[in-house]
Amino acid sequence: NQAWKNNFLPIIVGGAGFYHLQLFNNNPDPYVKPNSEIRKKAEKLDVEQLQNWLKKENSNKFNKMNQSDQNNPRRLVRAIEVTKACKKLNDRIKNRPKFKAPKYYSVLGLKLPLDALEKNIKKRVMERFTHGAIPELKNLLTLKLDNNSAAMTATGVTKLINYLNNEASSSTTIQAWTQTEMQYAKRQITGWKKRKKIDWFNSVEDNFQQLVYQKIITELKL
């Protein structure tokens, strides 16, 4: 709003799909504040117990979560918090910041064929594995964090721990880590496919930058 008021054009680049969704839908759930009582209780529970807790509170919400989120302690705890705070529809919108989505906007997306995407992911995983991931994980393990903490549930951590414990070779570890990253990327793609009003450009095409440029010029009517 401040940008438009000063006759500037807001341009948002990058960021998670959920962040972009918030810009245009303003789901009230993120305005639910953390519940220290729930989080303290959750620290003593394993994933299965958290799943049962959420099912008891809101089985429909649990069933709508994808398999990854259903097994993610942080996502489960957050779902419980939101459910507890939003028993009524009124509670979901009460006291949230006023928000007016823009009437006119454009969303431009870059996509890759799955084989090219997997190639990029494997290259990135290889670079991480050989340039710092191992010593970084060793430093992380000295902190003796809870297994349900955000750092310990990050993508690739369990694969690297298996490697450090001599339970997997370097090649097996890289392959498993790549597969996990690829699965995550596919879930992101699925999420984006549900979004409307996105102009997609294939970033492996030689002239994709020119096509994006022309789209922007057309939208701005320059």
Side-chain angles (χ1 to χ4, degrees), residues 76-106:
L76 290 168
V77 172
R78 184 57 184 160
I80 293 168
E81 282 182 336
V82 171
T83 298
K84 285 278 194 181
C86 303
K87 288 293 185 182
K88 300 177 182 177
L89 179 62
N90 231 13
D91 296 334
R92 293 174 63 82
I93 59 176
K94 186 171 58 178
N95 299 325
R96 75 176 184 183
K98 291 183 178 179
F99 176 86
K100 186 176 181 180
K103 190 174 181 180
Y104 302 107
Y105 63 90
S106 288

Side-chain angles (χ1 to χ4, degrees), residues 24-47:
F24 305 111
N25 291 275
N26 203 36
N27 186 320
D29 288 356
Y31 298 116
V32 173
K33 295 180 180 179
N35 186 314
S36 57
E37 185 178 334
I38 289 176
R39 296 195 176 197
K40 187 174 181 180
K41 180 180 176 181
E43 288 177 358
K44 303 174 184 177
L45 305 178
D46 58 28
V47 172

Side-chain angles (χ1 to χ4, degrees), residues 144-185:
K144 300 186 183 303
L145 299 175
D146 186 274
N147 288 333
N148 292 335
S149 67
M152 296 303 293
T153 57
T155 306
V157 167
T158 55
K159 308 295 185 294
L160 290 174
I161 290 176
N162 291 339
Y163 172 73
L164 288 178
N165 291 335
N166 295 318
E167 296 172 2
S169 64
S170 58
S171 59
T172 301
T173 301
I174 291 171
Q175 183 179 359
W177 188 1
T178 300
Q179 185 178 15
T180 302
E181 293 273 2
M182 191 64 188
Q183 290 170 343
Y184 180 67

Side-chain angles (χ1 to χ4, degrees), residues 111-122 182-183 185-187 189-190 193 202 204:
K111 64 180 179 179
L112 280 172
L114 288 180
D115 57 341
L117 179 63
E118 185 169 13
K119 183 179 179 181
N120 286 353
I121 288 175
K122 187 170 184 178
M182 191 64 188
Q183 290 170 343
K186 286 181 177 179
R187 291 198 298 272
I189 292 171
T190 299
K193 283 181 178 179
N202 194 330
V204 297

Side-chain angles (χ1 to χ4, degrees), residues 187-203:
R187 291 198 298 272
Q188 288 183 317
I189 292 171
T190 299
W192 280 109
K193 283 181 178 179
K194 296 177 182 178
R195 297 280 305 279
K196 298 179 181 179
K197 202 185 176 184
I198 299 180
D199 292 299
W200 290 103
F201 297 87
N202 194 330
S203 57

